[in-house]
């Protein structure tokens, strides 16, 4: 056992979870937490609630639950706030999203009805397919940021919160690349005053969170806090940030299977992925400019896991295609097909087919919970800036600029757990294990 871990402030008092976007993912998350608190469900899919962590040697039999090992906020101490461009309460929004059974939403009606979204910062140009009425106005983007900062302070005061975290689960914005206005805080703040078109609403939420010293996790693929101006602000203000794009559905499967193929030195000729999806997210992604943001996020995964430059005989020039088709009858129950062309000994070809009948928001909701609780932990442990140890949750993990992201889900999980061991002063686990045979 190492002498000392990191000083972590206790998780006393209430934790406010501020959700940007009160759509399918957010309402499924809130309803789930309410159901779990009432003893009506188990927190399935949540590592913070159900996962364990091995400590010390395999002979020691120390394997506590993660929530008993590190001081996480208790679910009973969590309160919710949200912004959305529609003024529907979480009850109406959950009914519209159609993820959960109507009877289940009815059982939670009182709690869900009490969550009403604050007016959003929104600009049609960034999300083409939807229009709402619950939107802030201001003379420039800085004024909108100030209104969000005031919302955050009022929420904290009204709900009597000790701490806050913000999770971005609003619609995917159009594809943006970094430009000069994103490089420094001075340029960014000037851009807010000048209404610079390269500052998207998600960046204004991130800015407001960081100015308020509230950790920010980005569940969508937009740049948001992944720009030098905001990563620097996060470090300067001692605030943790992470992103981007919740790793659910098809990309989750990809980052489970690709490391296995590579581990066995099996080659890949091509990986074709297509989805049909009928929820509002699917509708937004039906616009080519919004889809491009998602496509970039989904495409990077295989290249990084398979390393074609290191294994040209196995992975050079494999074909990788990703499609999402908006198909309303499916609602949130996405169907994802993967056709994977691989080759083995002497180059003989084989195929793998996956037909994943998944539920997008059911897979995403526990990630919102884990991210909120781990980001709160990170802040109490004085961790600031990019939290790469939370890559486990993302399709396009945010990293330091000089690093490529780690996509292999098993390495991501090991990194996450070793970070928790490090925080608590436990030995890191290397899996060497020679000592058992001495
Ligand atoms: N469900 C998944 O498995 C999954 C996985 C990865 C990423 N995501 C991302 O998470 C986000 C949410 O997904 P969803 O299925 O809940 O979508 P959704 O369309 O049901 O919900 C998004 C909500 O955000 C609101 N919104 C849009 N712009 C806003 C703004 N500027 N401010 C406040 N609210 C705004 C919309 O009105 C809508 O209610 C999307 O960006 C999606 O791409 C989802």
């Amino acid at each position: 056992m190492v002498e000392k871990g990191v000083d972590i402030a206790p998780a006393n008092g209430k934790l406010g979870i501020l959700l940007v976007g009160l759509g399918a993912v957010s309402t499924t998350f809130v309803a789930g937490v309410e159901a779990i608190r009432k003893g009506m469900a188990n927190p399935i899919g949540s590592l913070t609630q159900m996962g364990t962590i091995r400590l010390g040697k395999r002979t020691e039999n120390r394997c506590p639950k993660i929530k008993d090992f590190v001081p996480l906020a208790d679910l009973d101490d969590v309160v919710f706030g949200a912004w959305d461009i529609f003024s529907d309460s979480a009850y109406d929004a959950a009914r519209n999203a159609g993820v959960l059974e109507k009877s289940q939403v009815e059982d939670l009606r009182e709690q869900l009805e009490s969550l009403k979204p604050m007016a959003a910062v929104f600009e049609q140009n960034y999300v083409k397919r939807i229009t709402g009425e619950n939107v802030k106005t201001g003379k420039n983007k800085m004024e909108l940021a100030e209104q969000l900062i005031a919302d955050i302070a009022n929420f904290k005061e009204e709900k009597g919160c000790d701490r806050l975290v913000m999770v971005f689960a609003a619609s995917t914005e159009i594809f943006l690349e970094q430009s000069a206005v994103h490089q420094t805080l001075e340029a960014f703040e000037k851009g807010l005053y000048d209404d610079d078109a390269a500052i998207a609403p998600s960046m204004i939420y991130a800015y407001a969170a960081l100015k308020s010293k509230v950790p920010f996790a980005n569940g969508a693929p937009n740049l948001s806090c992944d720009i030098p101006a905001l990563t620097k602000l996060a470090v300067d203000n001692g605030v943790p940030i992470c992103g981007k794009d919740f790793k659910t559905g098809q990309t989750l499967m990809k980052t489970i299977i690709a490391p296995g193929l590579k581990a066995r030195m099996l080659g890949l000729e091509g990986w074709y992925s297509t989805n049909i999806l009928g929820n509002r997210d699917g509708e937004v992604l039906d616009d080519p400019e919004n889809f491009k943001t998602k496509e970039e996020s989904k495409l990077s995964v295989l290249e990084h896991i398979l390393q074609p430059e290191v294994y040209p005989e196995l992975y050079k020039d494999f074909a990788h295609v990703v499609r999402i088709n908006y198909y309303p009858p499916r609602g949130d129950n996405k169907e994802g097909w993967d056709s994977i062309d691989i080759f083995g000994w002497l180059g003989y070809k084989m195929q793998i087919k996956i037909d994943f009948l998944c539920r997008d928001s059911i897979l995403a909701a526990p990630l919102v919970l884990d991210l909120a609780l781990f980001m709160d932990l990170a802040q109490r442990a004085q961790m600031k800036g990019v939290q790469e140890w939370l890559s486990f949750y993302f399709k396009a993990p945010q990293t330091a600029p000089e690093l490529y992201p780690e996509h292999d889900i098993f390495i991501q999980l090991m990194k996450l757990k070793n970070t928790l061991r490090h925080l608590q002063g436990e030995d890191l686990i290397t899996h060497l294990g020679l000592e058992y045979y001495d």
Side-chain angles (χ1 to χ4, degrees):
M1 177 104 129
V2 177
E3 276 304 300
K4 198 173 171 320
V6 171
D7 274 338
I8 307 177
N12 294 336
K14 283 194 204 164
L15 173 67
I17 302 180
L18 289 165
L19 300 160
V20 185
L22 190 57
V25 171
S26 293
T27 55
T28 307
F29 157 64
V30 173
V33 172
E34 297 291 3
I36 293 159
R37 290 207 275 223
K38 287 178 143 204
M40 293 157 60
N42 286 318
I44 297 173
S46 161
L47 186 70
T48 58
Q49 304 305 299
M50 302 196 85
T52 62
I53 182 162
R54 182 190 125 201
L55 304 174
K57 294 192 173 39
R58 270 183 279 162
T59 45
E60 290 177 34
N61 284 325
R62 287 196 297 145
C63 199
K65 279 196 161 181
I66 286 174
K67 67 178 177 151
D68 298 328
F69 176 59
V70 285
L72 298 177
D74 194 282
L75 292 194
D76 285 331
D77 292 331
V78 163
V79 289
F80 305 104
W83 291 272
D84 203 287
I85 65 169
F86 299 107
S87 46
D88 292 345
S89 70
Y91 169 77
D92 291 317
R95 283 174 59 102
N96 288 340
V99 177
L100 303 174
E101 308 263 340
K102 283 202 175 80
S103 61
Q104 192 162 29
V105 178
E106 269 332 297
D107 288 342
L108 304 164
R109 182 169 187 154
E110 195 187 322
Q111 290 81 3
L112 294 176
E113 266 185 341
S114 67
L115 176 55
K116 300 206 169 62
M118 298 176 267
V121 171
F122 181 73
E123 238 186 282
Q124 190 77 67
N125 182 39
Y126 295 90
V127 180
K128 310 271 187 196
R129 296 275 161 112
I130 54 172
T131 313
E133 70 300 336
N134 192 31
V135 172
K136 292 188 194 311
T137 51
K139 64 174 192 293
N140 55 41
K141 291 183 179 180
M142 181 55 101
E143 207 176 280
L144 297 174
E146 282 160 3
Q147 290 178 34
L148 288 176
I149 291 169
D151 284 350
I152 295 169
N154 292 340
F155 175 85
K156 189 171 185 193
E157 167 91 31
E158 271 168 31
K159 300 282 176 184
C161 292
D162 189 63
R163 309 166 318 280
L164 302 174
V165 296
M166 192 185 293
V167 181
F168 188 92
S171 310
T172 298
E173 297 171 336
I174 56 169
F175 184 67
L176 280 184
E177 271 171 318
Q178 282 191 25
S179 56
V181 73
H182 303 134
Q183 299 310 310
T184 64
L185 188 59
E186 295 69 36
F188 186 83
E189 289 182 334
K190 181 171 182 306
L192 285 173
Y193 284 112
D194 295 347
D195 266 339
D196 194 308
I199 299 184
S202 67
M203 292 173 183
I204 305 180
Y205 284 103
Y207 174 78
L210 299 179
K211 287 299 269 188
S212 310
K213 302 202 162 92
V214 172
F216 182 87
N218 179 17
N222 358 274
L223 280 178
S224 307
C225 61
D226 194 5
I227 52 174
L230 295 185
T231 49
K232 171 93 170 33
L233 178 60
V235 173
D236 290 351
N237 275 5
V239 191
I241 53 173
C242 65
K244 312 183 289 265
D245 205 4
F246 299 128
K247 176 151 91 177
T248 57
Q250 207 160 40
T251 310
L252 173 66
M253 286 301 142
K254 230 168 235 178
T255 64
I256 291 171
I257 289 170
L261 297 175
K262 183 173 146 194
R264 290 286 185 192
M265 293 287 107
L266 293 169
L268 181 75
E269 258 197 300
W271 195 313
Y272 178 81
S273 302
T274 188
N275 295 274
I276 53 175
L277 174 66
N279 61 13
R280 193 180 280 154
D281 187 28
E283 190 180 351
V284 168
L285 295 174
D286 206 35
D287 184 278
E289 282 189 85
N290 293 84
F291 177 65
K292 179 148 173 57
T293 313
K294 193 58 120 183
E295 189 184 26
E296 291 282 318
S297 163
K298 282 177 164 255
L299 280 178
S300 61
V301 166
L302 286 183
E303 289 278 329
H304 284 298
I305 293 179
L306 297 175
Q307 298 177 289
E309 66 296 350
V310 181
Y311 305 101
E313 308 90 327
L314 298 173
Y315 304 122
K316 190 164 177 281
D317 299 330
F318 65 82
H320 189 195
V321 176
V322 180
R323 296 276 177 269
I324 300 180
N325 291 303
Y326 176 52
Y327 179 61
R330 278 309 164 93
D332 199 66
N333 295 351
K334 176 159 86 181
E335 183 160 5
W337 290 272
D338 288 275
S339 188
I340 311 163
D341 290 286
I342 63 172
F343 55 92
W345 189 243
L346 305 179
Y348 279 83
K349 293 184 180 191
M350 295 171 263
Q351 295 184 18
I352 303 172
K353 309 282 178 193
I354 304 172
D355 182 1
F356 190 10
L357 292 120
C358 71
R359 293 171 188 265
D360 249 11
S361 304
I362 294 294
L363 292 169
L367 310 195
V368 179
L369 175 61
D370 284 0
L371 283 166
L373 298 188
F374 278 145
M375 288 296 269
D376 171 50
L377 172 75
Q379 192 170 45
R380 282 182 287 110
Q382 298 105 50
M383 296 166 90
K384 55 189 178 182
V386 178
Q387 302 299 301
E388 206 199 323
W389 62 286
L390 297 173
S391 297
F392 180 65
Y393 294 105
F394 296 111
K395 281 194 198 64
Q398 192 172 340
T399 60
E402 65 280 10
L403 290 179
Y404 64 84
E406 180 53 71
H407 284 288
D408 177 329
I409 194 160
F410 305 104
I411 297 177
Q412 292 173 332
L413 181 61
M414 211 186 315
K415 186 177 175 70
L416 187 157
K417 288 191 175 179
N418 269 340
T419 304
L420 300 179
R421 292 182 186 108
H422 161 76
L423 287 177
Q424 293 293 52
E426 289 282 343
D427 287 341
L428 305 189
I429 289 190
T430 63
H431 298 287
L432 179 62
L434 285 179
E435 68 277 18
Y436 299 119
Y437 297 92
D438 281 346

